[in-house]
Amino acid sequence: MKKSLNFTTGALAAVILSGPLLLPQAVLAKTITVVSSGPLQPYNYVDENEKWIGLQAEALDYAAKKAGYDLEYRTMAFENEIPALLNGKVDIASGIYITKERFEKLDFIPLVKSGFGILSTKEFAKDVKDWTNYCGKEIAMHFSAPTENAVKAMNEKFCPPDNPAISAPSSGNIPDRITAVRNGRAAGAIDDVNMWRAAASRIPEVAVALEQVGNQVYWPIAFKKGSPLRAELLPHISEFLNTKLAEDASMKFGMGKNVYISGDIDTVIEEYLKDK
């Protein structure tokens, strides 16, 4: 019996010592799960090699590698992103704009300077001077506090009370809104202007009609409030944003200039929320 016990103990010790070499790589790797409402150029999309690329993907990939993580991307409807984050089903949610209400439950790292823009057909866009061209016309949009506030502010500034631009409901799917514009179901579509620039670069019949609607916003990544992962990635993301890497990535994805934020990230958030 004693001899058998010694053998078993020795065998167990050998397994413990050699175990990590026998485990599959998927078990060994630390993986961050990132969720997005879909492939969204120029932030996150899949290239011909099925690799996720884009402005966000570039910055996050840099930081994850520095911190020793692999990245796994998932897509789901935009309205499900925050619940998935709060329930611990994903680690990072993509493109959830910062608001005071969301800041109560989420932490953010803003990455890219942006704003809401209006996409229209090239034919319509050539005559657009300002928001007055959209008074009484339908604007395809995905309803959220930032976009609703932007449309409301522009209507109050440019349109008669009895003839505002009409907010036409749309899914969170960018192609749906582009289709609404191309088919004439909406005179324009509102969303992140960098996404509209990317769309206009690949779809000949559409153009960015208005570059800035409402206030500046930032394309951020979001974490569950208090997530240690944010603190772990923050210094590496800051490093990326404040080097030439950011400018190179901006040019690579067709922005024509460096669109990443600069300076201290927490100060950017603080100043942004102060104005809300």
Side-chain angles (χ1 to χ4, degrees), residues 105-205:
K105 295 183 178 181
L106 303 176
D107 284 325
F108 296 90
I109 297 180
L111 300 174
V112 178
K113 292 176 288 188
S114 188
F116 293 116
I118 301 294
L119 186 81
S120 293
T121 62
K122 272 188 178 175
E123 184 65 24
F124 190 92
K126 65 183 175 62
D127 295 322
V128 172
K129 301 292 189 296
D130 54 36
W131 187 263
T132 56
N133 294 94
Y134 294 98
C135 296
K137 296 182 170 59
E138 291 199 349
I139 303 291
M141 63 182 284
H142 176 71
F143 287 95
S144 67
T147 50
E148 289 177 76
N149 290 340
V151 170
K152 180 181 177 183
M154 297 301 281
N155 277 337
E156 289 175 351
K157 183 176 181 179
F158 290 99
C159 297
D162 60 348
N163 192 39
I166 303 162
S167 300
S170 170
S171 74
N173 195 317
I174 291 295
D176 287 351
R177 270 169 280 167
I178 295 174
T179 299
V181 167
R182 295 173 74 184
N183 291 347
R185 289 188 284 111
I190 182 171
D191 214 303
D192 184 293
V193 70
N194 290 326
M195 290 196 288
W196 289 154
R197 290 186 186 117
S201 71
R202 67 182 189 274
I203 303 172
E205 65 266 39

Side-chain angles (χ1 to χ4, degrees), residues 29-35 56 59-72 85 88-94 106-109 111 221-238 265-266:
K30 296 192 298 181
T31 301
I32 296 172
T33 304
V34 186
V35 67
Q56 177 194 302
L60 191 52
D61 183 63
Y62 177 90
K65 285 179 178 175
K66 287 274 188 175
Y69 287 97
D70 289 334
L71 294 174
E72 175 187 298
L85 194 60
K89 294 181 179 178
V90 299
D91 302 304
I92 293 174
S94 175
L106 303 176
D107 284 325
F108 296 90
I109 297 180
L111 300 174
I221 53 177
F223 306 77
K224 185 177 180 180
K225 200 74 176 177
S227 168
L229 184 60
R230 181 190 186 273
E232 193 172 354
L233 295 178
L234 183 60
H236 305 302
I237 289 178
S238 295
I265 286 173
D266 288 331

